[in-house]
Amino acid sequence: MKAIEIKKDLFYVGVNDRTKHLFENLWPLPQGVSYNSYLLIDEKTVLFDTVEIGYSDVFFSKLESALNGKALDYLVVNHMEPDHSGSLALLKTKYPNIEIIGNARTAEMLAGYYGITDNLKIITDGEELKTGKHTLQFHLIPMVHWPETMVTYDITEKTLFSGDAFGTFGALDGGITDTQLRPERYWDEMIRYYSNIVGKYGSPVQKAIAKLSGIEIATICATHGPMWTEKENISKVVALYDKLSKYETEPGVVIAYGSMYGHTEQMAETIASELAAQGIRDIVIHNVSVSPHSNIIRDVFKYNGLIVGCPTYNNQLYPEMEALLSKLAARGIKNRYFGYFGSFTWAGAAVKNIAAFAETSGWEVVGVPAEMKQAMNQQSRDAAVALAQAMAEKIKSDKK
Ligand code: FEO
């Protein structure tokens, strides 16, 4: 495969993965994902990150075509997670004289993952490196998404090699830059990527955005997704990351329910109907046993209201709901209105267990939890309707 020159002296040597079902063995990839790597050809040649090991053959053929016989001088490791560092050990065997640029945390991981301890150039925050016509500047942005994470800014071209920051799920179907494709395809996948992968690290993302706010960015080269070159798209991408990392939302309600035989599902439907009757237009219902939790998390990042409900199972929470709540708790999501309901046949535990989750979530609990024994009756229907009305009232008067 040949590399593609995407900008003067800058080649795209990344790859698309449309084979893997689950990113990190957790998150579905219905539209695939790209592992982006870039090669700068200057007096010194510089590679920015590598790709997942399964795609190393394609990656090396692109890299060799871009180098066209030149030596490879530097590898900048903006992020050590193996979707980007996977081909690093192989790269070092093919280019043994390469100097690897990273920070002190990178060095520790290079040794641990790949046993690499030589030819390292350890940089500190703000340090610069002249490669010929280009000057690179390194900025540490720890915990976006790992502690060693950094970005590299090409001062000469105003290009930001941003690592996972500003990345998205979705393979690159032909076009690489935003001028060669339809950006609309990526916005929802960007929210899913952010909420699933980086969602826990809102505060570090805020620090990174503040730190980078002083630099003029003409191009964003992230490690996943399109290369952003249009002013309008760059603003949109940065604004989206800014909004998500502040846990800001749109008015709307996600209803996530578990149900074994349809009774608890009827409660969810009743709540949704009443929300609609109260004028709420953005309502998303997810069956926790069917919808990928990845999508539910994405929608919880979008909307300010969340209502969950499930049956009691083995005197505990319905397992799929327990799994979802644990994933939500791990993300430290702030500022949500939260309502809940549950059911049981002989001894209730669902509502009690969701109440315990609500306690630790820090969210504002709305309405009275609706609890149903065995099947819907007038009492449980009235409780579901009252819960929906309380949520609708909050959403309509939302100031968050
Ligand atoms: Fe794309 Fe945190 O790795």
Side-chain angles (χ1 to χ4, degrees):
M1 288 281 290
K2 280 181 84 71
I4 297 170
E5 188 166 13
I6 36 175
K7 219 173 145 166
K8 189 160 167 21
D9 304 332
L10 188 64
F11 289 80
Y12 181 79
V13 294
V15 299
N16 288 303
D17 186 345
R18 299 185 190 85
T19 303
K20 197 187 296 304
H21 290 276
L22 297 173
F23 190 79
E24 295 180 340
N25 255 336
L26 286 169
W27 315 110
L29 291 169
Q31 299 179 54
V33 66
S34 68
Y35 310 121
N36 299 340
S37 172
Y38 307 88
L39 179 73
L40 177 68
I41 302 275
D42 201 358
E43 284 169 32
K44 297 285 185 185
T45 55
V46 187
L47 181 66
F48 297 92
D49 296 300
T50 71
V51 305
E52 221 252 8
I53 186 67
Y55 288 85
S56 57
D57 273 0
V58 181
F59 166 65
F60 283 116
S61 68
K62 287 185 175 184
L63 179 59
E64 279 153 29
S65 91
L67 282 168
N68 198 19
K70 290 189 183 66
L72 182 56
D73 297 303
Y74 295 114
L75 167 69
V76 174
V77 180
N78 280 325
H79 185 21
M80 272 295 294
E81 193 165 4
D83 50 332
H84 311 295
S85 72
S87 300
L88 204 154
L90 201 49
L91 183 85
K92 177 106 169 116
T93 62
K94 284 177 181 276
Y95 301 91
N97 299 322
I98 193 170
E99 200 166 354
I100 300 176
I101 300 175
N103 55 69
R105 299 301 294 265
T106 322
E108 183 256 327
M109 292 185 192
L110 278 168
Y113 270 102
Y114 305 113
I116 295 173
T117 52
D118 64 322
N119 269 12
L120 306 184
K121 182 173 175 57
I122 305 300
I123 55 86
T124 52
D125 194 29
E127 197 170 323
E128 293 182 6
L129 173 74
K130 206 162 167 48
T131 59
K133 288 180 286 181
H134 296 253
T135 301
L136 304 178
Q137 190 177 55
F138 307 102
H139 298 276
L140 307 194
I141 55 160
M143 299 319 300
V144 185
H145 144 234
W146 280 16
E148 88 302 356
T149 315
M150 61 184 211
V151 297
T152 306
Y153 181 57
D154 179 345
I155 296 173
T156 318
E157 283 293 316
K158 300 184 172 58
T159 300
L160 183 70
F161 297 93
S162 64
D164 277 354
F166 312 125
T168 175
F169 288 139
L172 300 171
D173 292 351
I176 291 164
T177 70
D178 53 359
T179 54
Q180 302 169 324
L181 46 78
R182 300 260 177 244
E184 301 76 43
R185 176 189 157 193
Y186 292 93
W187 301 137
D188 234 31
E189 280 296 80
M190 187 173 280
I191 299 173
R192 194 168 67 86
Y193 171 83
Y194 177 88
S195 61
N196 291 192
I197 308 298
V198 195
K200 177 180 167 61
Y201 304 109
S203 166
V205 172
Q206 278 295 299
K207 279 189 196 137
I209 288 173
K211 189 170 188 176
L212 300 174
S213 64
I215 66 173
E216 191 187 338
I217 302 172
T219 306
I220 294 177
C221 293
T223 44
H224 302 289
M227 180 172 153
W228 303 104
T229 65
E230 302 264 275
K231 233 183 185 142
E232 185 194 343
N233 289 332
I234 290 173
S235 302
K236 187 157 181 174
V237 168
V238 174
L240 189 55
Y241 265 71
D242 186 39
K243 179 177 176 171
L244 292 168
S245 58
K246 287 179 185 156
Y247 301 99
E248 287 178 0
T249 50
E250 302 294 326
V253 182
V254 178
I255 301 171
Y257 73 93
S259 187
M260 287 186 278
Y261 301 105
H263 298 99
T264 321
E265 182 176 56
Q266 285 176 32
M267 290 189 89
E269 294 280 12
T270 303
I271 290 166
S273 294
E274 185 59 26
L275 283 168
Q278 295 295 324
I280 304 300
R281 292 291 168 263
D282 287 295
I283 304 165
V284 189
I285 305 186
H286 287 288
N287 179 333
V288 288
S289 304
V290 177
S291 288
H293 291 186
S294 171
N295 293 5
I296 305 176
I297 295 167
R298 174 200 61 202
D299 292 338
V300 171
F301 268 75
K302 280 188 193 173
Y303 297 114
N304 58 354
L306 172 63
I307 299 178
V308 305
C310 69
T312 299
Y313 193 90
N314 287 342
N315 204 28
Q316 290 174 16
L317 268 181
Y318 187 60
E320 287 296 319
M321 180 57 72
E322 188 160 31
L324 174 68
L325 294 183
S326 137
K327 287 171 191 154
L328 291 174
R331 277 156 183 76
I333 302 165
K334 295 174 180 48
N335 302 328
R336 295 297 184 274
Y337 295 124
F338 184 63
Y340 55 99
F341 61 99
S343 62
F344 64 96
T345 297
W346 68 95
V351 161
K352 194 172 69 187
N353 280 282
I354 300 172
F357 165 82
E359 275 278 321
T360 57
S361 69
W363 296 339
E364 182 176 337
V365 174
V366 173
V368 177
E371 194 165 33
M372 174 179 74
K373 184 176 181 183
Q374 293 160 0
M376 286 282 265
N377 57 22
Q378 195 56 48
Q379 194 185 1
S380 48
R381 188 170 292 107
D382 289 348
V385 167
L387 175 59
Q389 287 172 345
M391 180 61 83
E393 200 174 309
K394 276 290 174 192
I395 301 297
K396 287 191 279 187
S397 64
D398 182 57
K399 298 284 182 289
K400 283 180 181 169

